[in-house]
């Protein structure tokens, strides 16, 4: 009990945020209504952003919120709102789905265990750590210096995906649109 | 077929790039609205400011007295007959000796009632009256009532008050017509 | 306990808390009086007088409106998702109130030898924070619209979502041009760089235009108020809302207007800078002493900031009572085919101008060249055969 009280305040913050993250993540998979799932997922994204801020990675936190919570989840919600949910309630009785879920969970668990066992061995060098690592300037310099080629390749990939989306959405001759 | 020469020809030619940017027409619109923003407002703030309704407005009824303060009404009932809403009713009585200073004619209305819920303020009673007794005031509304017992106006509310006599620019239709010229 | 009090006094905590509370109160007050202002502006533009019964010039009207809102029946539809139905307006209000946190409303006060910034939080990703909060603003509308279980509300919510996503892109790109010029993400830094009449509006005229149009769309203001388009969707996303929940939605709109006016003022109009502020500050310091002079100069700066914000809010209203609503396909066309290409063009021109070393001249020449290029391409486009030519 004494040990818990003597912890530095940042640990409490970490604990609270972690509980929130897990709450959001569990809510995402346990709630029956997809719209509720999306909202739980947004909570999770927020608490992950809070983790980023704890790690002094402000830029990542902001981008996580803008891209995931602000854009992708809006699109998710957008699509889910269109769906009619009442007819698909039987899906969980499908045996194949349950099997696939169990296999995926086991694989993911295995990976997690392996990582956790390795993680304990390497200690972070707290004294030599540059506190500006997560800031925009350093991140930008490494993105546009060290990792320029992968960065540009990814942007080309996005361009291709965008062009593909435009092609898919384009009206073909003879096709009817309402 | 051309009925009037007020029809505007619409320009259906294709918009130029400058026009298609919406900005010129947007700026014009903003100019018009800001001009109106600073213009003087024509609003009359009613309960504080009242506008003159004109000499022919038909408002609150009044039973006129003559110059000596005698009631003009002789209870002939023509107004009640003329009334399309049947709002007017009266009880006639003969004038007795000693009442000459009160009533001009030998017969007078002991009771004269107008039901304001029925009245449509058409002014036919005013036109029907042979004695120039009943008029609709141009300067006063019938006030709002909130109780049914307030609806029927008796002589106490209708007969002219000699201290504030009712005056108007034109008493007859002909005089009123002259006012327009 | 004594050391805690000591720490409280010595640290910035108290001053920061005070500034946050003051900014919060001012935001709410300005939002409340924006409702009065909106009605007055609407009335004056339509040659009317507007509310003038409650208090002098109708100044108590916001209180009367709020009182009316509170005493309306708070109705939740039977088939609605109750929690989300309540969450919707709360989220709207929450995100609207968060966005002005990084806006520097003034330079700084010197209190007891310490410099206290007139800003709730100073972070080095200020613009990203604003952008993130703005992108979250749509959740309140979406969740409220969906939870109402009403087809009109749902349509309003869907419109809001697609509209916000579409206009965020162009808005982001017009901001990136500013970021390229200033080289920082901190709003305070951007404001400081515009010191001395060096306002970004002179460097980024096209960026300003795009940003303003997108701000209108993000705030769901006319001509882009499609999510609550009452001619088509009854009341849009807030069809089922009543009482103070509806009040929250309406209030959030005005707070958003305030916040976006504040951000516009900071990004394009120099924030709390005003012409001749150095001279004023020097005079005040020589007259009142270093600290007091600086503090009074800061107050004047705050005044100039709020003048800009109020003009921004007035502009929002002015446009609302001038322009009719867009049709939905026009809105999408304008966003995707008009503003985004223009924003990309602006980005490229800004980049070239910065690299060439002549920022101001380069950007204006570049924009002129772009206009010429667009008009050449426009005149060369294939003409439609069946277009109605002439009257």
């Amino acid at each position: 009990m004494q040990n818990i009280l003597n912890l530095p305040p940042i640990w409490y913050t970490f604990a609270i945020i972690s509980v929130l993250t897990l709450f959001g993540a569990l809510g995402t998979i346990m709630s029956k209504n997809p719209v509720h799932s999306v909202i739980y997922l947004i909570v999770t994204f927020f608490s992950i952003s809070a983790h980023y801020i704890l790690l002094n990675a402000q830029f990542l936190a902001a981008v996580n919120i803008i891209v995931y919570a602000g854009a992708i989840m809006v699109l998710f919600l957008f699509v889910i709102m269109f769906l009619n949910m009442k007819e698909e309630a039987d899906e969980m009785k499908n045996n194949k789905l349950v099997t696939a879920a169990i296999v995926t969970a086991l694989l993911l668990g295995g990976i997690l265990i392996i990582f956790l066992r390795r993680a304990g061995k390497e200690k972070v060098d707290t004294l030599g750590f540059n506190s500006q690592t997560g800031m925009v300037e350093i991140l930008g310099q490494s993105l546009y210096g060290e990792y320029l080629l992968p960065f540009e390749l990814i942007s080309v990939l996005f361009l291709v995906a965008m062009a593909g989306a435009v092609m898919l959405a384009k009206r073909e001759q003879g096709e009817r649109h309402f | 077929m051309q009925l009037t020469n007020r029809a505007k020809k619409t320009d259906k030619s294709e918009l130029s790039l400058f026009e298609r940017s919406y900005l010129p027409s947007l700026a014009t619109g903003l100019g018009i609205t800001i001009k109106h923003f600073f213009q003087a407002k024509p609003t009359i703030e009613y309960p504080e400011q009242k506008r003159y309704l004109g000499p022919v407005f038909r408002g609150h009824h009044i039973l006129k007295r003559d110059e000596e303060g005698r009631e003009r009404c002789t209870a002939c009932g023509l107004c009640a007959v003329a009334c399309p809403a049947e709002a007017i009713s009266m009880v006639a009585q003969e004038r007795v000796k000693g009442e000459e200073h009160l009533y001009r004619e030998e017969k007078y209305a002991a009771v004269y009632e107008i039901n304001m819920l029925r009245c449509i303020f058409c002014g036919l009673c005013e036109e029907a009256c042979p004695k120039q007794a009943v008029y609709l005031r141009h300067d006063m509304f019938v006030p709002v009532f909130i109780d049914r017992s307030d609806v029927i106006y008796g002589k106490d509310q209708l007969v002219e008050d000699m201290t504030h006599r009712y005056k108007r620019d034109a008493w007859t239709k002909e005089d009123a017509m002259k006012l327009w010229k | 306990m004594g050391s805690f009090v000591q720490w409280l006094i010595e640290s910035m905590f108290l001053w920061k808390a005070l500034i946050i509370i003051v900014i919060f109160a001012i935001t709410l007050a300005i939002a409340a009086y924006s409702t009065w202002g909106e009605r007055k502006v609407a009335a004056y533009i339509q040659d009317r007088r507007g509310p003038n019964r409650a208090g002098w010039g109708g100044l108590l009207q916001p209180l009367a409106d709020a009182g009316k809102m509170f005493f309306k029946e708070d109705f939740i539809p039977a088939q609605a998702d109750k929690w989300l139905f309540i969450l919707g307006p709360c989220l709207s209000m929450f995100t609207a109130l968060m966005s002005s946190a990084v806006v520097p409303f003034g330079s700084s006060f010197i209190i007891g030898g310490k410099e206290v910034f007139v800003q709730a939080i100073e972070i080095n990703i200020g613009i990203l924070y604003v952008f993130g909060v703005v992108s979250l603003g749509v959740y309140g509308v979406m969740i409220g619209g969906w939870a109402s279980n009403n087809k009109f509300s749902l349509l309003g919510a869907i419109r809001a979502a697609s509209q916000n996503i579409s206009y965020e892109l162009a808005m982001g790109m017009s901001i990136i041009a500013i970021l390229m010029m200033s080289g920082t993400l901190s709003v305070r830094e951007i404001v400081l760089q515009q010191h001395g009449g060096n306002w970004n509006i002179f460097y980024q005229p096209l960026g300003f235009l795009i940003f303003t149009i997108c701000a209108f769309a993000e705030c769901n203001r006319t001509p882009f108020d499609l999510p609550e388009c009452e001619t088509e969707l009854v009341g849009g996303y807030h069809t089922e809302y009543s009482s103070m929940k509806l009040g929250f939605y309406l209030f959030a709109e005005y707070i958003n207007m305030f916040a976006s006016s504040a951000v516009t003022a900071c990004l394009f109009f120099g924030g709390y800078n005003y012409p001749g502020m150095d001279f004023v500050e020097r005079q005040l310091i020589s007259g009142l002493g270093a600290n007091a002079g600086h503090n009074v100069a800061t107050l004047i700066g705050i005044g100039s900031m709020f003048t800009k914000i109020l003009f921004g809010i007035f502009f929002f209203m002015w446009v609302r009572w001038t322009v009719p609503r867009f049709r939905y396909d026009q809105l999408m066309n304008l966003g995707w085919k008009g503003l985004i290409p223009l924003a990309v063009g602006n980005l490229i021109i800004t980049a070239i101008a910065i690299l060439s070393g002549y920022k101001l001249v380069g950007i204006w020449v570049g924009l002129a060249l772009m206009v010429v290029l667009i008009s050449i391409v426009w005149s060369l486009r294939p003409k439609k055969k069946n277009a109605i030519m002439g009257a």
Side-chain angles (χ1 to χ4, degrees):
Chain A
M1 201 58 203
Q2 277 299 314
N3 281 340
I4 293 175
L5 285 175
N6 287 333
L7 286 174
I10 198 124
W11 282 57
Y12 292 116
T13 325
F14 176 76
I16 293 168
I17 293 169
S18 301
V19 167
L20 251 176
T21 314
L22 290 177
F23 169 75
L26 286 175
T28 309
I29 52 170
M30 309 236 308
S31 61
K32 287 199 173 136
N33 191 329
V35 173
H36 291 188
S37 281
V38 169
I39 288 156
Y40 278 119
L41 198 53
I42 294 164
V43 173
T44 317
F45 280 134
F46 263 91
S47 37
I48 287 174
S49 272
H51 277 299
Y52 281 138
I53 288 173
L54 276 189
L55 295 170
N56 209 14
Q58 296 180 0
F59 182 75
L60 272 186
V63 167
N64 184 42
I65 285 183
I66 293 172
V67 174
Y68 283 95
I72 292 180
M73 290 325 287
V74 172
L75 283 179
F76 263 53
L77 199 57
F78 185 76
V79 172
I80 284 171
M81 285 195 322
F82 275 123
L83 301 178
N84 196 1
M85 290 304 153
K86 277 163 195 156
E87 292 154 14
E88 293 164 26
D90 294 333
E91 217 171 70
M92 286 315 285
K93 286 173 187 161
N94 196 335
N95 266 333
K96 272 185 207 160
L97 218 85
V98 176
T99 327
I102 290 171
V103 170
T104 319
L106 284 178
L107 280 175
L108 202 66
I111 292 168
L112 270 180
I113 288 168
I114 292 165
F115 269 104
L116 285 175
R117 282 172 71 89
R118 292 222 172 160
K121 286 175 187 163
E122 284 175 34
K123 282 263 157 59
V124 181
D125 179 15
T126 43
L127 291 174
F129 179 70
N130 182 4
S131 69
Q132 296 297 307
T133 303
M135 299 297 175
V136 194
E137 294 84 9
I138 307 257
L139 208 70
Q141 273 156 16
S142 60
L143 264 186
Y144 288 96
E146 214 176 325
Y147 300 104
L148 184 62
L149 187 66
F151 187 80
E152 292 298 331
L153 282 180
I154 287 172
S155 57
V156 170
L157 185 72
F158 274 125
L159 194 67
V160 171
M162 252 164 69
V166 171
M167 281 306 292
L168 280 177
K170 211 157 184 210
R171 190 182 307 205
E172 281 169 38
Q173 213 154 35
E175 200 177 348
R176 239 183 112 192
H177 281 259
F178 298 100
Chain B
M1 187 176 67
Q2 195 180 12
L3 293 174
T4 63
N5 49 11
R6 282 183 302 182
K8 258 191 185 173
K9 276 236 171 78
T10 45
D11 182 12
K12 284 185 181 166
S13 58
E14 229 178 321
L15 297 178
S16 70
L17 181 67
F18 184 56
E19 284 167 332
R20 270 186 64 102
S21 73
Y22 296 122
L23 294 174
S25 44
L26 193 67
T28 323
L30 287 175
I32 291 170
T33 44
I34 202 70
K35 199 178 78 201
H36 279 268
F37 187 86
F38 289 112
Q39 260 173 12
K41 308 297 172 229
T43 311
I44 294 169
E45 302 199 16
Y46 167 61
E48 292 94 36
Q49 295 176 326
K50 283 173 186 158
R51 74 196 292 183
Y52 179 58
L53 293 169
V56 293
F57 181 79
R58 301 192 292 263
H60 197 290
H61 303 71
I62 187 168
L63 285 174
K64 283 288 284 180
R65 296 176 192 263
D66 65 1
E67 294 72 36
E68 296 158 40
R70 300 176 300 186
E71 282 177 25
R72 291 177 179 177
C73 179
T74 184
C76 62
L78 281 178
C79 50
V81 171
C83 184
E86 300 187 359
I88 305 177
S89 62
M90 67 191 75
V91 175
Q93 208 159 29
E94 214 167 316
R95 186 180 71 186
V96 294
K97 241 190 173 82
E99 285 182 337
E100 285 87 353
H101 66 287
L102 289 177
Y103 311 108
R104 192 174 67 179
E105 313 294 338
E106 287 176 353
K107 194 178 107 197
Y108 69 95
V111 178
Y112 190 97
E113 286 179 341
I114 301 179
N115 187 338
M116 288 301 176
L117 270 181
R118 302 196 121 204
C119 179
I120 57 170
F121 301 95
C122 61
L124 288 182
C125 47
E126 188 180 313
E127 283 180 39
C129 187
K131 298 287 181 190
Q132 284 84 43
V134 64
Y135 282 102
L136 297 171
R137 301 184 69 139
H138 74 286
D139 57 350
M140 193 177 158
F141 292 119
V142 172
V144 173
F145 35 76
I146 52 172
D147 197 285
R148 277 173 186 274
S149 59
D150 299 338
V151 171
I152 295 169
Y153 279 36
K155 273 180 80 174
D156 51 333
Q157 279 146 299
L158 294 172
V159 177
E160 188 179 22
D161 181 4
M162 283 307 280
T163 52
H164 305 283
R165 296 209 67 173
Y166 170 58
K167 296 184 188 74
R168 66 152 86 154
D169 296 336
W171 290 104
T172 61
K173 212 174 185 177
E174 289 70 32
D175 289 347
M177 292 295 278
K178 272 177 210 155
L179 283 177
W180 291 104
K181 280 162 195 160
Chain C
M1 200 62 204
S3 65
F4 179 71
V5 172
Q6 193 74 28
W7 170 81
L8 207 61
I9 291 166
E10 278 178 4
S11 72
M12 306 291 255
F13 183 79
L14 273 182
W15 294 115
K16 276 290 171 203
L18 188 72
I19 283 172
I20 288 173
I21 288 170
V22 168
I23 288 175
F24 187 70
I26 288 177
T27 308
L28 288 181
I30 286 188
Y33 275 93
S34 297
T35 61
W36 171 82
E38 173 104 87
R39 293 171 66 176
K40 274 286 187 196
V41 168
Y44 270 71
I45 282 176
Q46 295 164 353
D47 289 341
R48 295 183 287 119
R49 286 267 171 84
N52 61 354
R53 295 284 142 174
W56 184 83
L59 276 176
L60 295 179
Q61 193 68 40
L63 291 181
D65 285 345
K68 185 205 80 170
M69 281 284 185
F70 267 117
F71 287 109
K72 289 268 179 171
E73 185 190 357
D74 196 2
F75 185 78
I76 296 179
Q79 296 297 311
D81 192 321
K82 196 178 166 203
W83 287 108
L84 293 186
F85 191 78
I86 297 168
L87 185 70
C90 300
L91 266 182
S92 258
M93 196 74 175
F94 177 68
T95 47
L97 281 170
M98 285 219 308
S99 46
S100 55
V102 293
V103 174
F105 287 96
S107 114
S108 60
F109 287 118
I110 297 174
I111 304 161
K114 274 193 195 122
E115 201 176 21
V116 182
F117 289 143
V118 190
Q119 185 180 15
I121 40 169
E122 162 62 19
I123 44 178
N124 68 354
I125 48 156
I127 289 289
L128 286 182
Y129 172 87
V130 171
F131 203 60
V133 172
V134 164
S135 64
L136 295 178
V138 72
Y139 278 118
V141 172
M142 279 181 89
I143 288 173
W146 182 82
S148 303
N149 202 3
N150 171 323
K151 64 182 83 164
F152 294 115
S153 302
L154 184 65
L155 281 171
I158 284 165
R159 281 182 172 195
S162 44
Q163 174 178 327
N164 273 41
I165 289 174
S166 310
Y167 278 78
E168 244 165 47
L169 292 173
M171 190 184 218
M173 280 196 239
S174 66
I175 293 179
I176 286 172
I178 297 263
L179 298 183
M180 280 175 11
M181 277 178 28
S182 56
T184 175
L185 285 170
S186 153
V187 188
R188 172 168 291 273
E189 280 294 314
I190 292 173
V191 170
L192 282 175
Q193 284 178 9
Q194 298 178 58
H195 184 72
N198 208 12
W199 294 358
N200 278 336
I201 173 87
F202 304 126
Y203 294 93
Q204 288 289 332
L206 184 61
F208 170 68
L209 194 69
I210 294 168
F211 183 86
T212 316
I213 294 172
C214 294
F216 273 88
E218 296 281 321
C219 291
N220 294 336
R221 293 283 299 182
T222 323
F224 306 116
D225 61 342
L226 280 272
E228 47 175 295
C229 169
E230 61 274 350
T231 43
E232 295 163 18
L233 298 181
V234 192
Y237 59 90
H238 56 57
T239 304
E240 295 284 357
Y241 280 91
S242 62
S243 186
M244 212 51 206
K245 291 205 201 80
L246 174 68
F248 266 30
Y249 270 132
L250 303 182
F251 214 59
E253 183 184 322
Y254 287 98
I255 298 173
N256 276 331
M257 253 164 74
F258 170 74
S260 57
S261 298
V263 172
T264 315
C266 283
L267 290 185
F268 293 97
F269 292 100
Y272 52 81
N273 291 307
Y274 55 95
M277 69 184 296
D278 283 334
F279 174 75
V280 172
E281 180 152 1
R282 248 180 282 128
Q283 293 297 314
L284 282 168
I285 285 177
S286 64
L288 297 167
N291 283 4
H294 177 78
N295 288 350
V296 173
T298 302
L299 275 181
I300 297 173
I302 293 174
S304 98
M305 175 76 180
F306 274 97
T307 315
K308 288 166 191 171
I309 292 175
L310 290 182
F311 182 77
I313 293 175
F314 173 74
F315 185 71
F316 267 97
M317 294 168 180
W318 182 11
V319 170
R320 170 166 180 186
W321 298 102
T322 302
V323 191
R325 189 179 290 125
F326 270 52
R327 214 169 55 213
Y328 204 71
D329 59 320
Q330 291 171 333
L331 173 94
M332 284 294 154
N333 278 342
L334 178 66
W336 287 99
K337 296 182 186 168
L339 294 181
I340 291 178
L342 279 179
V344 172
N346 188 38
L347 212 62
I348 293 167
I349 288 168
T350 313
I352 293 171
I354 291 170
L355 284 180
S356 72
Y358 301 101
K359 252 202 249 175
L360 191 62
V361 180
I363 283 171
W364 280 95
V365 169
L367 287 179
L369 280 179
M370 190 169 83
V371 170
V372 170
L373 197 70
I374 291 174
S375 37
I376 288 172
V377 172
W378 176 262
S379 60
L380 290 178
R381 81 199 188 284
K383 290 249 164 43
K384 273 184 197 160
K385 287 272 161 57
N386 55 354
I388 307 160
M389 302 297 281

